[in-house]
Amino acid sequence: MSVKIHYQNTHFITSAPDIRHMPEDEGIEVAFAGRSNAGKSSSLNRLTNQRSLAKTSKTPGRTQLINLFKVTDGCHIVDLPGYGFAQVPLEMKKKWQKSLGEYLQKRQCLKGLVVLMDIRHPMKDLDQQLIFWAVDSGIPVQVLLTKADKLKSGARNAQVLKIKKDAVGFGGDVSVAAFSSLKGIGVDTLRNKLDQWFAPALAESISEEIAEEEKLDSEQE
């Protein structure tokens, strides 16, 4: 049974400094992560057709909290702190890295990770570390090569092919796609991937609704 997810209904739930301050570890979560200047906030806004669901800061690296958004019952998107920005103090970087690692390795309801990286500067050390963490934990990854409109189509396609070849080296379920918040490139690909990851939660929700309806019908008889 296929169910259409209305991403435009996504809304903010809470912010947390680490996983201990997050809501119950249940349902399905899909996390978005990337370097501070990879265009993460813009991609979330484009995905949901909302201008300011995720706040874009003029100073990359400003967002230090894990932000949780509800898509529909049992389905959540998690916006992880941006990483790798040069002007952030080392102590803060270490703290972020620790909370990122903790979240990826300990959050049981995490069922998919979207890693965003600028198509012109992909696969930096921290990007690769993040993907290895996910693969190690058995979590599928969707790499989005953002700001794809900055390259002409030939160069863009060549870069996607190169990163797809590189992704094989991670040994897990790692998909790669070009993405542009500005031009809408790759938005459907992203939505389709999220639909797949959220499907079990939706199926469970529908089963519960059907069971509830059948119970009501039998009581009325």
Side-chain angles (χ1 to χ4, degrees):
M1 185 185 293
S2 71
V3 179
K4 184 167 172 55
I5 298 176
H6 299 284
Y7 288 97
Q8 69 271 23
N9 295 334
T10 303
H11 58 278
F12 174 76
I13 300 286
T14 190
S15 293
D18 52 50
I19 60 171
R20 283 170 288 284
H21 293 84
M22 290 185 75
E24 288 296 314
D25 193 349
E26 59 190 17
I28 288 179
E29 286 177 3
V30 171
F32 280 60
R35 295 174 67 82
S36 301
N37 54 356
K40 188 156 51 72
S41 298
S42 302
S43 71
L44 283 166
N45 291 341
R46 183 69 195 228
L47 166 70
T48 58
N49 286 328
Q50 297 184 44
R51 285 188 179 177
S52 56
L53 177 77
K55 301 289 187 288
T56 53
S57 171
K58 287 189 172 64
T59 309
R62 181 73 58 80
T63 310
Q64 302 165 32
L65 299 169
I66 297 170
N67 293 308
L68 191 77
F69 302 90
K70 180 176 178 179
V71 179
T72 187
D73 287 343
C75 303
H76 294 87
I77 284 173
V78 178
D79 183 9
L80 294 170
Y83 54 83
F85 190 64
Q87 292 174 21
V88 173
L90 184 61
E91 276 309 304
M92 197 176 280
K93 280 187 188 172
K94 284 181 178 172
K95 187 181 165 199
W96 290 358
Q97 229 167 323
K98 185 176 178 225
S99 67
L100 272 172
E102 253 188 352
Y103 175 80
L104 289 169
Q105 291 165 330
K106 295 181 180 176
R107 191 74 172 166
Q108 296 300 309
C109 63
L110 175 64
K111 300 301 179 190
L113 178 68
V114 179
V115 180
L116 300 100
M117 49 188 90
D118 189 321
I119 194 166
R120 299 162 298 176
H121 315 287
M123 290 296 177
K124 301 283 189 187
D125 287 348
L126 284 173
D127 299 325
Q128 294 190 49
Q129 186 180 340
L130 192 62
I131 296 170
F132 275 124
W133 264 339
V135 168
D136 234 21
S137 304
I139 297 163
V141 176
Q142 174 65 61
V143 172
L144 290 186
L145 300 172
T146 62
K147 307 182 186 182
D149 54 282
K150 302 283 187 188
L151 297 181
K152 290 183 177 172
S153 60
R156 182 194 309 150
N157 293 338
Q159 186 72 306
V160 170
L161 278 174
K162 180 187 179 301
I163 302 304
K164 278 184 175 176
K165 284 180 185 171
D166 292 347
V168 174
F170 292 104
D173 180 356
V174 183
S175 307
V176 179
F179 190 89
S180 167
S181 302
L182 193 65
K183 303 288 187 184
I185 298 165
V187 175
D188 287 342
T189 301
L190 175 59
R191 285 188 183 136
N192 289 339
K193 181 63 74 173
L194 296 186
D195 286 351
Q196 286 174 33
W197 288 341
F198 284 137
L202 292 171
E204 188 177 326
S205 177
I206 290 164
S207 297
E208 285 171 1
E209 280 178 29
I210 291 169
E212 189 63 34
E213 282 173 15
E214 287 174 350
K215 185 183 172 191
L216 285 171
D217 289 345
S218 65
E219 284 172 358
Q220 285 165 3
E221 287 170 6

